[in-house]
Amino acid sequence: TQLLEQSPQFLSIQEGENLTVYCNSSSVFSSLQWYRQEPGEGPVLLVTVVTGGEVKKLKRLTFQFGDARKDSSLHITAAQPGDTGLYLCAGDPGGNQFYFGTGTSLTVIP
Amino acid sequence: GAVVSQHPSWVICKSGTSVKIECRSLDFQATTMFWYRQFPKQSLMLMATSNEGSKATYEQGVEKDKFLINHASLTLSTLTVTSAHPEDSSFYICSARRGFEKLFFGSGTQLSVL
């Protein structure tokens, strides 16, 4: 059983469409992070959300942390082919461990 | 920003041999290092958490005698895959943390066991 479940697992959309990726857990996190990873490389941090209900925007990406700090979402507006990659949520539920979500593989078709 | 160096980037070995992967924090002292394993198009699976000077904490299902982790200093942790077999072929990534700050990731090691 994964601590952080992401949905959908795979997503293939046309350029210009909008999409939302969800990250859910039964555990409370003091913070959650979102990463994007390219094949053969380490993950790159996109954002950290800390406060329940917090919304952060990074250009066309909008991140939200759930009020109870158990879930988060990533919304991409007008997706571009350059957005293609593996999106991962991650966090430390306490105890100095750091877990990644199950991942969402996004393909944006030109 | 902080840099974590992971070496080698890729390694091919024969079945039955052991492979050592190094993870170094170049400009900070890492109190904790994490080791992950990743299969194609899947997420990173935490294998173990390593604190300097103490034994690593392994996740359930990870064989500690198979995947030996040593964190002898605040800047170096090593993962040794002992008696590697083809099913051990995977992408291994380390990350380092200073206190409870954000994680810094190595660039990963692609292991192929023939």
Side-chain angles (χ1 to χ4, degrees), chain B residues 6-12 19-23 91-92 107-111:
Chain B
Q6 187 172 339
H7 179 80
S9 297
W10 56 271
V11 57
I12 301 173
V19 174
K20 180 184 283 189
I21 302 170
E22 292 189 349
C23 181
F91 191 58
Y92 294 87
S107 53
T109 298
Q110 181 64 52
L111 170 64

Side-chain angles (χ1 to χ4, degrees), chain A residues 36-79:
Chain A
R36 180 169 168 268
Q37 185 185 24
E38 298 281 357
E41 299 179 8
V44 175
L45 179 65
L46 297 174
V47 77
T48 299
V49 286
V50 179
T51 307
E54 180 178 8
V55 176
K56 280 192 174 180
K57 289 192 174 184
L58 184 65
K59 296 184 180 178
R60 292 177 293 101
L61 278 60
T62 302
F63 305 85
Q64 185 164 7
F65 200 11
D67 291 340
R69 290 184 288 123
K70 293 183 178 181
D71 55 85
S72 182
S73 64
L74 158 62
H75 182 78
I76 301 179
T77 303

Side-chain angles (χ1 to χ4, degrees), chain A residues 11-33:
Chain A
L11 189 56
S12 182
I13 61 172
Q14 294 288 332
E15 181 177 359
E17 292 184 352
N18 302 332
L19 66 115
T20 301
V21 178
Y22 299 93
C23 172
N24 295 296
S25 176
S26 58
S27 300
V28 176
F29 289 82
S30 56
S31 66
L32 272 181
Q33 300 181 343

Side-chain angles (χ1 to χ4, degrees), chain B residues 31-47:
Chain B
T31 50
T32 306
M33 286 188 174
F34 302 93
W35 286 96
Y36 297 88
R37 181 175 183 177
Q38 185 177 32
F39 293 105
K41 294 213 170 181
Q42 293 187 23
S43 186
L44 283 71
M45 296 297 296
L46 180 63
M47 298 175 67

